[in-house]
Amino acid sequence: MNTFDVYSLYPVEPVKGCGNYVYTADSTEYLDLYGGHAVISIGHAHPHYVEAVSRQVANLGFYSNSVENSLQTRLAEKLGKLSGYEDYSLFLCNSGAEANENALKLASFHTGKKRVLAFNKAFHGRTSGAVAVTDNPKIQSPFNCGHEVDFVSLGDIDAVEKVLSQGDTAAVIIEGIQGVAGIRVPSDEFMRQLREVTRRHDVVLILDEVQSGYGRTGKFFAHQHSGIRPDLITVAKGMGNGFPIGGVLVSPEFKATKGMLGTTFGGNHLGCAAALAVLDVIDDENLLDNAAEVGEYALARLKELEATGKIKDVRGRGLMIGFDIEGDASVGRKRLLLEHHIFTGGAGANTIRLLPALNVTEKHIDQFINALKTL
């Protein structure tokens, strides 16, 4: 049997990681400025993370949600404290797509409605509901096309108002920063307007912070730069630093009933131990501050390079950064990888995307800038 061939692969196989670097079997070192799609939040093989996960799997790796699990309670309490959402509840699942799927269900349960408003170029995952609110026909099978979804342009509050005034919308779902679209940052003013209009029309506001959350922008969640509080917040990726875990932060206005949501693996003991270790490191090592400071440094260095005409349209917040290059970005990324041993990401034909671990340093950014100048 072969693997189902759906991925375009680079001819590099990391077998070991340490901090901001990964290594192949022949010990070749690669600087990781992408973290496997923003998943590696505290660096590869962080000692505290390794110890916590190893200790937990040696005791109890899994039992179902039919029994008490104090790790879930500890995780909810710590996440609430660090994020500023102590009054919210936490539903745990396994991935960002699953988190968004459950948030959409909660919104529909809560309002009794089924229409959803999403934004052009959005990406929310590959499960049925998440695909339906993702603006990409290439990943929508006929099965995904029965959902009632309106798409409007990011930043167009008048278009949002027009849709919501019809009175049949359950939820608006929006990314804190559009990642797959190429790092598109909604303005703080638009986010505040969106919160006001959804509240006025009794529509649930879902903030997809799967990629933009967990400290990546220098605040715990990207939407906190605009000072709003959504009804539902979805998380995953950096939550487990490589262990699959996701969740939905649920505002106090939502009431749980037994059986309305469920999952076999969500909130398992090993996943919770991994997520708790991530929060420990973020807190103990002040990684939100580091993301803000090193992110500002990275954006400044890139804008200096932009002024020379080497790159263009530098954008982002904290350590969620995108910029465009002339020609095919996949070619540029491959050169960065194979010639300079640096992992980066892409988004569209011309965009290079940076999503490093939150403990990245200015030295790592300088290494990247020097490589970028040679393209």
Side-chain angles (χ1 to χ4, degrees), residues 192-232:
R192 288 190 284 267
Q193 291 173 334
L194 187 63
R195 175 68 284 192
E196 187 279 327
V197 72
T198 51
R199 185 173 285 124
R200 178 158 41 83
H201 288 284
D202 294 321
V203 172
V204 174
L205 179 59
I206 303 171
L207 245 299
D208 177 347
E209 294 276 9
V210 169
Q211 187 173 133
S212 56
Y214 258 73
R216 179 146 300 281
T217 65
K219 292 187 181 291
F220 202 92
F221 293 123
H223 70 262
Q224 291 173 318
H225 290 277
S226 57
I228 66 167
R229 285 171 70 85
D231 302 301
L232 301 170

Side-chain angles (χ1 to χ4, degrees), residues 6 10 19 31 45 55-56 82 92-93 148-149 186 200 203 210 236-237 239 260 319 342 353:
V6 296
Y10 288 119
L31 175 62
R55 182 177 67 248
Q56 184 61 48
L82 293 187
L92 290 165
C93 54
E148 298 182 20
V149 181
R200 178 158 41 83
V203 172
V210 169
K237 290 193 183 291
M239 186 178 189
M260 69 187 305
L319 295 175
I342 300 175
R353 190 165 33 146

Side-chain angles (χ1 to χ4, degrees), residues 169-349:
T169 302
V172 172
I173 185 167
I174 185 171
E175 294 158 273
I177 295 175
Q178 287 190 335
V180 173
I183 313 298
R184 302 298 173 183
V185 185
S187 72
D188 292 338
E189 177 61 21
F190 175 71
M191 295 296 275
R192 288 190 284 267
Q193 291 173 334
L194 187 63
R195 175 68 284 192
E196 187 279 327
V197 72
T198 51
R199 185 173 285 124
R200 178 158 41 83
H201 288 284
D202 294 321
V203 172
V204 174
L205 179 59
I206 303 171
L207 245 299
D208 177 347
E209 294 276 9
V210 169
Q211 187 173 133
S212 56
Y214 258 73
R216 179 146 300 281
T217 65
K219 292 187 181 291
F220 202 92
F221 293 123
H223 70 262
Q224 291 173 318
H225 290 277
S226 57
I228 66 167
R229 285 171 70 85
D231 302 301
L232 301 170
I233 306 165
T234 58
V235 293
K237 290 193 183 291
M239 186 178 189
N241 200 54
F243 193 94
I245 185 170
V248 186
L249 281 69
V250 184
S251 72
E253 289 74 24
F254 288 71
K255 304 304 178 187
T257 59
K258 303 301 182 186
M260 69 187 305
L261 302 177
T263 167
T264 296
F265 293 105
N268 68 75
H269 295 72
L270 192 53
C272 287
L276 278 164
V278 168
L279 291 176
D280 288 343
V281 175
I282 287 175
D283 191 20
D284 293 344
E285 298 185 8
N286 299 313
L287 294 189
L288 270 66
D289 290 341
N290 190 72
E293 293 165 9
V294 178
E296 183 178 357
Y297 178 79
L299 285 165
R301 290 297 315 271
L302 286 166
K303 286 177 180 177
E304 289 174 2
L305 198 55
E306 181 181 19
T308 70
K310 186 71 177 178
I311 60 175
K312 56 185 178 180
D313 195 17
V314 175
R315 55 205 181 264
R317 244 176 185 159
L319 295 175
M320 192 168 179
I321 297 172
F323 59 90
D324 294 340
I325 64 172
E326 292 292 339
D328 189 343
S330 65
V331 175
R333 290 172 56 214
K334 189 171 184 179
R335 286 188 59 192
L336 286 166
L337 179 64
L338 300 182
E339 297 177 19
H340 300 279
H341 294 175
I342 300 175
F343 275 96
T344 58

Side-chain angles (χ1 to χ4, degrees), residues 42 44-57 241 277:
I42 59 171
H44 296 278
H46 191 287
H48 177 67
Y49 178 85
V50 171
E51 192 278 330
V53 172
S54 299
R55 182 177 67 248
Q56 184 61 48
V57 77
N241 200 54

